[in-house]
């Protein structure tokens, strides 16, 4: 039957259209597959895209395994990259199958051209390579095989990564898993978006992941045998000339999720190689001992009690013990360290000081101190020790070895102290006690169930330190045959035991050094375990002679997760109310920790007066404290962030404006007018009676009258803009609101003193409350300079709560200008504050260019700080969006040079004021004070911290 010709033509056209549509879909799929193909352009296997997924989409694994929160970047990654991850990240097997199907289609379309050419070039194809690698063992799940040459084959010529100035405040701790910790807030004020778990917790690395992790780009030829997954047909590159590769290379399957997470997060190529080598050796049971002998002649732990006798005893007739103090210091608190040194110094003892490799300013000050006393030495080597790291144990063992080799130093006891310690009894009392118990070792044990201690301390986990980070790589077993012990990493050991630990070649010491090289917080367990299992076990006293200020509720905030894949605790700083605890201590205690003069110097003053008597009334600087924040000579300009550098330049200009105003009524007198020159020379924090008083910025300026350079110091103080609602509700518990960065939840203060904020900073809002009988829910609203509501959220304020804080995940850059933060209850105002986000005068230590200024000062993309828009709340909060304010902000965003400086100065003058300015030397300005004659300058007299030659009794203090 003949159909309608028009219908037949329409059918043919429909078939053609369907065919074209199918080809278009196929082309799109092919492009997608090609776009996400392997970094290795020579091999196009669909399952080899895992390296990129590990870096971009693997945040979920890192979040679980200790990489910690990545802040706003991760929030944006979730919002903007969700669809991409859904397309990419369905698991290695799914991507491999999908990529295989697309590859087959592509081969069919291309007639097998390029792929067959590659197969011929590889001279045997993928199947022969698979057969060789399987070795007749049958089909197995795809895994990664790491090949390592002998140690002398590969030598990296790549520069080492720059060390991060991470905290190394090493503390005795009781770690816990940190998977559920919210670093934004200790109150859980806002529910955080949770990432879905990976579909296969036991997943293994494919080739693209491994190449990416080990630092191989698509075009880079590695100088070591590369990572090869099963099924790969790529031959290893030729070794360096003169070196032949081994025919049988050791292989290792990286299947542990913790090791994979560590590899994905490690920054340097060397660190990634070391992680793989450690993991593979551990898997081959060649890394650590499985059984260790015990040499202690008694069962269990020695139980020795020592008594403290304050009165006269037979110790007066004993030979006085001599002590080697090992002072482990870091940071910038040189004046607090000098007070500690004054309190413990005696000519009969020895002082060996290690300064962290990242603390160059403090190192300079310590070298100057050591040059004044013959019994003080500084380690000729320096290390970057981190909290929980194996480097701390290495540092102690090396210090002990140095002390044993110093033939001119005859000491009886080794004691370690930090700058956060302070004596609570005198040197004479300590010597009398140790002379009586000369054969004892004083070390504090955990004092609880041993199995629980092992689990909480992470001793059953494998750790490795590199890139200034402690990586968790998997599980391990405790060696058999010994009792593992641990506790505080602050101890007092006698010389025979120190010599045994350093120089013994027996199996116990050697095995324990191997075991603790891959242990979290090794200094908190190594000496305990060796002592308890050695022939010295009967000399163990379960007391480290210290009083530590533990407050687990505040001190266990998981504050070190950026440098260690674990959670730990840190003691709190002592306050003046703690003085009776020192006076009433019953057990033998001679030192206490922690003290921090920037938090409370008053407690140090009280304790110092209790031990040595008070200073004379009117002693200069007795209640003042100065701490260096920046020193150009030792830190270089890189020691300041762009935001801090911009602020301090503005502060210096404030000081010059104040100096020029000192000669009012004399418009033609230029003797007190200056032109600022170059960058700040130094910056100090200034405290008085435990209150932050502002910044002291030292800078060089040219006097306009004399044309001579003068060294000036400007003191700027912050202004508080917090206001309570008026009229205040009778039930208003709000006491203060503050915004800043670097919030310390343990001490409940901002470490970014004064709240200096720039466009790329991550601000935190902190509210302080009075206690009540009932809870309340408060609403916090962030408003940017153009009246855009950047964020709003509710916080539950418990009846007993005194402090709440939260860091909203705002998308950078923040728009520079005057911000407002309001706190409301049922949309009724409780109080508010304003703060400045300062524009950057400098970008990467250079004057900002217009293109950078437009990017950094233009606000976030689409004027949206968060995924959710709060525009609908503007009428509720009576915040009209002003077109004029928007236009002004857009115009300011492109400012550079002098107009930018005027804008910056105008903003900061509303929140900071120049309280005074002084000259370090002679000045042409007749009313200019000399800095040493003021009470506030960093050059002012500071008797309590100044060092002097020892008196006839051998003491300084």
């Amino acid at each position: 039957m003949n159909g309608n010709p028009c219908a037949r033509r329409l059918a043919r056209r429909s078939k053609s259209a369907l065919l074209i549509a199918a080809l278009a879909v196929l082309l799109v799929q092919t492009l997608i597959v090609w776009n996400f193909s392997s970094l290795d352009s020579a091999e196009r296997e669909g399952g080899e895209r895992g390296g990129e997924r590990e870096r971009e989409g693997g945040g979920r694994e890192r979040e679980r395994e200790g990489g910690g929160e990545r802040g706003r970047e991760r929030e944006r990654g979730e919002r903007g990259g969700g669809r991409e991850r859904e397309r990419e990240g369905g698991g290695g097997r799914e991507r491999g199958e999908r990529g295989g199907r697309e590859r087959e289609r592509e081969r069919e379309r291309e007639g097998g051209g390029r792929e067959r050419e590659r197969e011929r070039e590889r001279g045997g194809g993928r199947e022969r390579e698979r057969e060789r690698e399987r070795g007749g063992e049958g089909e197995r799940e795809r895994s990664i095989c790491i090949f390592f040459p002998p140690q002398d084959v590969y030598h990296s010529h790549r520069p080492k990564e720059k060390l991060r100035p991470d905290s190394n405040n090493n503390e005795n701790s009781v770690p816990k898993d940190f998977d559920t910790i919210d670093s934004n807030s200790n109150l859980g004020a806002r529910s955080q978006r949770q990432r879905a778990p990976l579909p296969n917790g036991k997943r293994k690395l494919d080739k693209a992941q491994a190449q990416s992790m080990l630092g191989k780009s698509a075009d880079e030829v590695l100088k070591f045998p590369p990572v090869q997954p099963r099924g790969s047909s790529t031959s290893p590159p030729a070794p360096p000339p003169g070196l032949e590769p081994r025919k049988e290379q050791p292989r290792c399957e990286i299947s542990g999720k913790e090791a994979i997470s560590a590899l994905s997060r490690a920054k340097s190529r060397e660190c990634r190689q070391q992680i793989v080598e450690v993991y593979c050796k551990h898997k081959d049971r060649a890394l650590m001992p499985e059984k260790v002998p015990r040499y202690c002649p008694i069962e269990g732990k020695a139980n020795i009690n020592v008594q403290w006798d304050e009165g006269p005893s037979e110790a007066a007739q004993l030979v006085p013990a001599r002590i080697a103090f090992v002072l482990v210091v870091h940071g910038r608190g040189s004046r607090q360290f000098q007070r500690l040194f004054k309190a413990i110094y005696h000519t009969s003892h020895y002082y060996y000081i290690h300064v962290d490799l990242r603390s160059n300013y403090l190192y300079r000050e310590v070298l100057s101190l050591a040059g004044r006393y013959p019994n003080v030495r500084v380690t000729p080597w320096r290390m970057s020790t981190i909290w929980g790291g194996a480097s701390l144990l290495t540092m102690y063992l090396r210090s002990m070895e140095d002390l044993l080799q110093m033939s001119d130093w005859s000491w009886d006891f080794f004691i370690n102290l930090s700058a956060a310690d302070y004596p609570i009894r005198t040197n004479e009392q300590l010597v009398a006690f140790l002379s009586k118990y000369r054969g004892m070792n004083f070390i504090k044990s955990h004092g609880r169930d041993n199995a629980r201690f092992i689990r909480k301390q992470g001793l059953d986990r494998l750790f490795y330190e590199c890139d200034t980070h402690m990586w968790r790589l998997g599980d391990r077993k405790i060696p058999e045959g010994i009792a593992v012990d641990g506790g505080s990493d602050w101890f007092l050991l006698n010389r025979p035991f120190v010599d045994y630990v350093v120089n013994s070649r027996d199996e116990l010491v050697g095995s324990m050094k191997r075991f603790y090289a891959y242990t979290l917080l090794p200094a908190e367990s190594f000496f305990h375990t060796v002592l308890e299992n050695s022939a010295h076990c009967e000399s163990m006293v379960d007391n480290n002679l210290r009083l530590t200020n533990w407050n687990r509720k505040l001190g266990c905030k998981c504050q070190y997760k950026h440098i260690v894949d674990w959670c730990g605790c840190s003691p709190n700083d002592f306050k003046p109310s703690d003085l009776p605890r020192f006076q009433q201590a019953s057990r033998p205690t001679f030192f206490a920790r922690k003290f921090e003069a920037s938090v409370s110097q008053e407690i140090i003053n009280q304790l110092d007066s209790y031990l040595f008597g008070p200073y004379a009334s009117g002693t200069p600087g007795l209640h003042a404290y100065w701490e260096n924040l920046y020193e150009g000579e030792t830190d270089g300009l890189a020691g300041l962030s762009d935001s801090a550098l911009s602020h301090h330049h503005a502060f210096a200009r404030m000081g010059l404006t104040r100096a020029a105003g000192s000669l009012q009524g004399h418009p033609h007198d230029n003797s007190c007018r200056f032109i600022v020159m170059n960058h700040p020379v130094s910056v100090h924090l200034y405290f008085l009676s435990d209150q932050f008083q502002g910044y002291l910025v030292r800078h060089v300026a040219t006097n306009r009258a004399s044309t001579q350079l003068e060294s000036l110091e400007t003191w700027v103080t912050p202004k508080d803009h917090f206001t309570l609602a008026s009229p205040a509700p009778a039930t208003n518990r709000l006491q203060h609101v503050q915004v800043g960065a670097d919030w310390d939840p343990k001490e409940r203060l901002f470490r970014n003193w004064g709240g200096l904020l720039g466009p790329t900073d991550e601000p935190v809002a902190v509210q302080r409350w009075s206690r009540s009988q009932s809870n309340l829910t408060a609403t916090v609203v962030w408003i940017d300079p153009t009246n855009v509501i950047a964020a709003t959220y509710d916080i539950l304020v418990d009846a007993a709560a005194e402090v709440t804080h939260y860091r909203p995940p705002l998308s950078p850059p923040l728009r520079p200008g005057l911000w407002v933060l309001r706190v409301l209850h049922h949309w009724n105002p409780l109080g508010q504050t304003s703060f400045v986000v300062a524009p950057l005068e400098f970008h990467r230590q250079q004057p900002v260019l217009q293109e950078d200024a437009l990017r950094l000062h233009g606000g976030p993309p689409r004027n949206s700080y968060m995924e959710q828009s709060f525009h609908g709340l503007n009428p509720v909060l009576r915040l009209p969006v002003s077109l004029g304010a928007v236009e002004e902000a857009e115009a300011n965003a492109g400012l550079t040079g002098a107009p930018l400086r005027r804008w910056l100065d105008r903003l900061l003058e509303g929140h900071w004021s120049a309280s005074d300015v002084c000259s370090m030397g002679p000045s042409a300005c007749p009313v200019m004070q000399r800095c040493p004659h003021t009470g506030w300058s960093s050059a002012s007299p500071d008797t309590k911290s100044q060092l002097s030659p020892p008196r006839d009794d051998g003491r300084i203090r």
Side-chain angles (χ1 to χ4, degrees):
M1 180 177 180
N2 295 328
N4 190 326
C6 294
R8 288 198 299 272
R9 285 196 298 270
L10 182 60
R12 285 196 298 269
R13 289 173 183 174
S14 299
K15 290 180 180 179
S16 300
L18 289 173
L19 181 61
I20 292 172
L23 288 174
V25 171
L26 194 60
L27 179 60
V28 170
Q29 291 176 333
T30 302
L31 290 175
I32 292 174
V33 172
W34 175 81
N35 188 45
F36 292 106
S37 62
S38 169
L39 291 177
D40 184 359
S41 59
E43 292 190 331
R44 306 184 56 180
E45 295 185 338
E48 293 177 5
R49 292 191 295 274
E52 191 68 17
R53 178 179 63 82
E54 186 67 43
R55 289 194 302 272
E56 295 180 3
R60 293 168 293 191
E61 188 71 40
R62 291 194 295 274
E63 179 123 354
R64 289 200 309 276
E65 291 313 310
E69 176 187 294
R70 294 300 185 261
R72 296 195 301 265
E73 292 182 4
R74 181 166 295 173
E75 284 286 324
R76 293 196 302 279
E78 287 184 349
R79 295 196 297 268
R83 290 188 295 272
E84 285 298 312
R85 283 197 302 273
E86 185 176 355
R87 192 164 59 243
E88 290 182 55
R93 184 182 60 193
E94 180 182 336
R95 289 197 315 276
E97 292 174 356
R98 185 185 64 203
R101 290 193 299 268
E102 301 300 339
R103 200 163 50 252
E104 288 300 325
R105 293 171 186 165
E106 186 177 0
R107 287 198 194 99
E108 290 173 7
R109 286 195 307 275
E110 296 178 359
R114 267 187 292 184
E115 288 300 322
R116 286 199 299 271
E117 184 67 22
R118 288 196 182 98
E119 289 294 332
R120 286 196 298 271
E121 289 176 359
R122 288 195 286 263
R126 189 174 293 109
E127 291 302 320
R128 286 202 301 268
E129 184 67 19
R130 283 179 180 152
E131 283 299 318
R132 243 189 345 264
E133 289 192 5
R134 281 198 294 266
E137 294 175 359
E139 190 70 22
R140 293 186 299 183
E141 184 180 5
R142 174 174 295 185
S143 61
I144 179 171
C145 294
I146 307 296
F147 294 80
F148 279 96
Q151 291 296 323
D152 56 349
V153 171
Y154 170 70
H155 300 282
S156 173
H157 300 284
R158 204 172 155 142
K160 290 187 177 180
E161 300 274 325
K162 182 178 178 181
L163 293 177
R164 296 168 302 190
D166 291 326
S167 169
N168 65 341
N169 190 9
N170 299 280
E171 298 296 346
N172 181 2
S173 71
V174 183
K176 57 185 177 181
D177 203 353
F178 58 89
D179 297 346
T180 60
I181 297 296
D182 174 15
S183 66
N184 275 7
S185 172
N186 61 337
L187 297 171
R190 179 186 178 93
S191 61
Q192 299 298 307
R193 182 176 301 174
Q194 299 296 320
R195 293 182 179 267
L198 291 176
N200 184 5
K202 293 290 186 179
R203 65 185 173 86
K204 303 170 185 179
L205 294 182
D206 57 27
K207 179 178 179 181
Q209 287 175 307
Q211 287 173 336
S212 172
M213 292 175 184
L214 292 177
K216 180 182 184 299
S217 67
D219 301 322
E220 182 181 1
V221 177
L222 296 182
K223 294 183 175 62
F224 61 96
V227 177
Q228 287 194 332
R230 298 192 181 277
S232 170
S233 59
T234 301
S235 300
L243 292 175
E244 295 296 331
R246 293 183 180 179
K247 293 184 178 180
E248 293 184 8
Q249 299 286 355
R251 297 188 304 179
C252 175
E253 179 182 288
I254 307 292
S255 57
K257 61 180 183 178
E258 293 162 319
I260 293 174
S261 173
L263 280 172
S264 71
R265 292 178 286 125
K267 291 189 174 182
S268 74
R269 179 177 177 178
E270 292 81 359
C271 182
R272 290 190 289 271
Q273 289 176 313
Q274 293 165 14
I275 288 173
V276 170
E277 185 172 3
V278 167
Y279 180 87
C280 293
K281 285 185 177 180
H282 176 61
K283 191 168 184 179
D284 292 339
R285 303 170 70 174
L287 189 68
M288 289 175 293
E290 298 183 359
K291 189 172 183 180
V292 179
R294 174 180 167 90
Y295 301 132
C296 179
I298 63 174
E299 292 291 333
K301 185 186 299 185
N303 185 16
I304 301 175
N305 291 318
V306 295
Q307 300 298 323
W308 166 244
D309 184 6
E310 300 240 19
S313 67
E314 66 274 12
Q317 285 73 43
L318 299 175
V319 176
R322 307 185 78 174
I323 305 168
F325 291 89
V326 173
L327 304 174
V328 183
V329 296
H330 70 280
R332 312 191 71 89
S334 60
R335 301 199 189 207
Q336 180 174 342
F337 171 72
Q338 288 170 189
R339 291 196 74 174
L340 168 67
F341 181 78
K342 284 180 69 172
I344 65 174
Y345 181 82
H346 195 279
T347 53
S348 299
H349 304 308
Y350 308 100
Y351 304 85
Y352 199 42
I353 308 174
H354 174 269
V355 183
D356 190 272
L357 184 60
R358 295 157 293 187
S359 302
N360 290 329
Y361 166 75
L362 185 60
Y363 183 64
R364 184 190 71 176
E365 301 300 300
V366 168
L367 284 177
S368 175
L369 178 152
R372 301 171 60 180
Y373 304 94
N375 56 337
V376 179
R377 294 173 185 170
V378 181
T379 61
W381 45 270
R382 295 165 65 194
M383 300 177 63
S384 296
T385 58
I386 62 172
W387 185 93
S391 53
L392 183 64
L393 176 59
T394 303
M395 185 272 299
Y396 281 137
L397 292 174
R398 192 169 178 181
S399 298
M400 291 174 173
E401 184 177 9
D402 289 353
L403 289 169
L404 290 170
Q405 292 176 354
M406 295 178 188
S407 57
D408 56 333
W409 279 16
S410 178
W411 50 274
D412 304 301
F413 284 96
F414 172 105
I415 184 170
N416 60 335
L417 296 174
S418 76
D421 293 285
Y422 209 78
I424 61 175
R425 287 192 169 95
T426 65
N427 214 319
E428 289 77 7
Q429 291 173 311
L430 175 62
V431 170
F433 177 82
L434 294 179
S435 300
K436 182 178 179 181
Y437 298 104
R438 189 181 295 268
M440 298 294 105
N441 287 286
F442 301 89
I443 198 161
K444 188 73 180 78
S445 183
H446 56 85
R448 59 174 174 270
D449 178 70
N450 208 47
R452 182 174 180 267
F453 171 76
I454 290 173
R455 177 173 52 85
K456 286 290 186 180
Q457 195 79 355
L459 293 176
D460 55 352
R461 307 290 184 96
L462 177 69
F463 283 85
Y464 183 70
E465 181 180 350
C466 61
D467 278 356
T468 323
H469 190 99
M470 201 68 172
W471 308 100
R472 191 170 75 191
L473 304 183
D475 297 336
R476 67 175 183 180
K477 293 182 178 179
I478 302 295
E480 298 178 359
I482 59 169
V484 173
D485 196 8
S488 172
D489 56 353
W490 304 99
F491 37 76
L492 198 152
L493 307 174
N494 62 35
R495 182 165 185 147
F497 180 67
V498 171
D499 182 71
Y500 171 72
V501 166
V502 172
N503 294 319
S504 174
R505 297 295 179 262
D506 69 22
E507 191 175 350
L508 172 64
V509 173
S511 297
M512 287 298 94
K513 287 180 180 178
R514 288 171 56 198
F515 178 78
Y516 282 100
Y518 307 98
T519 300
L520 175 73
L521 298 157
E524 296 188 4
S525 183
F526 171 79
F527 297 101
H528 304 69
T529 301
V530 173
L531 180 59
E532 185 174 336
N533 292 277
S534 71
H536 298 261
C537 61
E538 295 181 87
S539 67
M540 178 178 176
V541 178
D542 190 10
N543 180 0
N544 64 351
L545 310 181
R546 326 279 175 120
L547 178 64
T548 305
N549 189 27
W550 286 109
N551 184 337
R552 306 287 180 184
K553 183 178 179 181
L554 292 176
C556 299
K557 296 294 184 183
C558 204
Q559 57 265 45
Y560 303 120
K561 67 179 182 181
H562 60 293
I563 54 173
V564 61
D565 295 349
W566 202 254
C567 265
C569 305
S570 179
N572 280 72
D573 296 328
F574 283 112
K575 306 290 175 56
S577 59
D578 294 309
L579 182 63
R581 296 175 60 185
F582 310 141
Q583 298 168 328
Q584 299 168 8
S586 57
R587 66 181 178 88
T589 50
F590 295 89
F591 295 91
R593 65 187 327 269
K594 298 172 46 180
F595 296 90
E596 191 174 4
S598 59
V599 175
S600 177
Q601 183 180 240
E602 186 58 32
I603 181 60
I604 302 177
N605 289 344
Q606 291 178 0
L607 185 53
D608 189 86
S609 298
Y610 169 70
L611 292 175
F612 308 109
Y615 283 96
S617 178
T619 299
L622 185 59
H623 298 286
Y625 176 67
W626 297 266
E627 184 167 302
N628 180 272
L629 191 66
Y630 167 76
E631 190 71 29
E633 182 181 335
T634 58
D635 301 325
L637 205 57
L640 288 174
S641 68
D642 290 330
S643 177
L645 182 61
S646 301
H647 276 88
H648 297 320
H649 267 272
F651 292 159
R653 291 192 292 269
M654 285 185 190
L656 300 186
T657 302
R658 177 183 173 86
S662 62
L663 291 178
Q664 293 182 358
H666 300 82
H668 302 294
D669 188 348
N670 289 327
S671 60
C672 292
R673 291 185 171 87
F674 297 85
I675 303 173
V676 68
M677 304 292 292
N678 299 323
H679 296 293
V681 176
S682 68
V683 181
H684 282 78
L685 301 170
Y686 174 45
F687 302 85
L688 185 64
S689 299
D690 289 348
Q691 297 297 315
F692 175 63
Q693 301 297 313
Y695 288 96
L696 308 178
V697 181
R698 190 175 300 180
H699 51 100
V700 176
T702 300
N703 187 285
R704 289 188 174 184
S706 67
T707 68
Q708 298 295 314
L709 289 176
E710 297 185 16
S711 181
L712 308 177
E713 189 167 48
T714 295
W715 170 22
V716 292
T717 56
K719 301 176 183 178
D720 188 1
H721 285 259
F722 168 71
T723 56
L724 281 172
S726 181
T731 58
N732 191 356
R733 294 172 51 193
L734 185 65
Q735 294 185 325
H736 196 262
V737 176
Q738 189 177 5
V739 177
D742 197 10
W743 170 251
D744 181 352
K746 181 171 68 72
E747 301 301 335
R748 294 181 169 180
L749 51 82
F750 284 106
R751 295 292 179 176
N752 176 22
W753 301 96
L756 308 186
L757 294 174
T760 59
D761 287 319
E762 300 178 342
V764 179
V766 175
Q767 304 82 34
R768 298 185 185 273
W769 309 87
S770 61
R771 297 193 176 192
S772 177
Q773 299 298 317
S774 59
N775 302 342
L776 70 86
T777 300
T779 301
V780 181
V781 183
W782 297 65
I783 307 167
D784 93 338
T786 61
N787 275 357
V788 169
I789 299 177
T792 180
Y793 50 86
D794 293 338
I795 53 175
L796 175 64
V797 185
D798 188 78
E802 296 180 339
V803 177
T804 57
H805 74 276
Y806 182 68
R807 173 175 58 81
L810 301 176
S811 297
L814 308 181
R815 188 181 299 280
L818 186 64
W819 285 59
V820 174
L821 187 133
R822 295 183 183 178
V823 181
L824 309 100
H825 177 54
H826 294 161
W827 298 105
N828 296 314
L830 299 179
Q832 73 173 38
T833 190
S834 63
F835 60 96
V836 170
V837 174
L840 299 181
E841 182 182 346
F842 296 90
H843 178 56
R844 297 176 180 172
Q845 290 83 45
Q846 298 295 325
V848 67
L849 301 176
Q850 188 173 44
E851 59 179 324
D852 294 320
L854 288 169
R855 176 174 53 84
L856 292 166
H857 301 159
R862 299 178 301 279
N863 216 28
S864 178
Y865 292 95
M866 298 182 70
E867 183 179 15
Q868 179 182 1
S869 172
F870 304 103
H871 182 71
L873 292 178
N874 281 70
V876 177
L877 299 173
R878 299 178 182 178
L879 289 173
V881 177
S882 169
L883 182 61
V886 173
E887 292 176 347
E888 182 183 5
E890 291 176 349
N892 288 337
L895 297 179
T896 59
L900 173 60
R901 289 192 290 271
R902 287 193 292 270
W903 178 35
L904 172 61
D905 293 350
R906 188 170 62 252
L907 284 172
L908 292 182
E909 284 170 358
H911 282 69
W912 293 83
S913 62
S915 295
D916 208 347
V917 61
C918 65
S919 174
M920 299 297 295
S923 175
C925 179
V927 296
M928 183 77 70
Q929 272 188 302
R930 291 283 189 92
C931 292
H933 299 161
T934 69
W936 56 265
S937 170
S938 62
S940 302
D942 187 12
T943 306
K944 62 184 181 301
S945 300
Q946 289 172 350
L947 300 176
S948 60
R951 301 189 301 267
D952 292 340
D953 61 0
R955 293 166 42 190
I956 300 177
R957 179 69 175 105

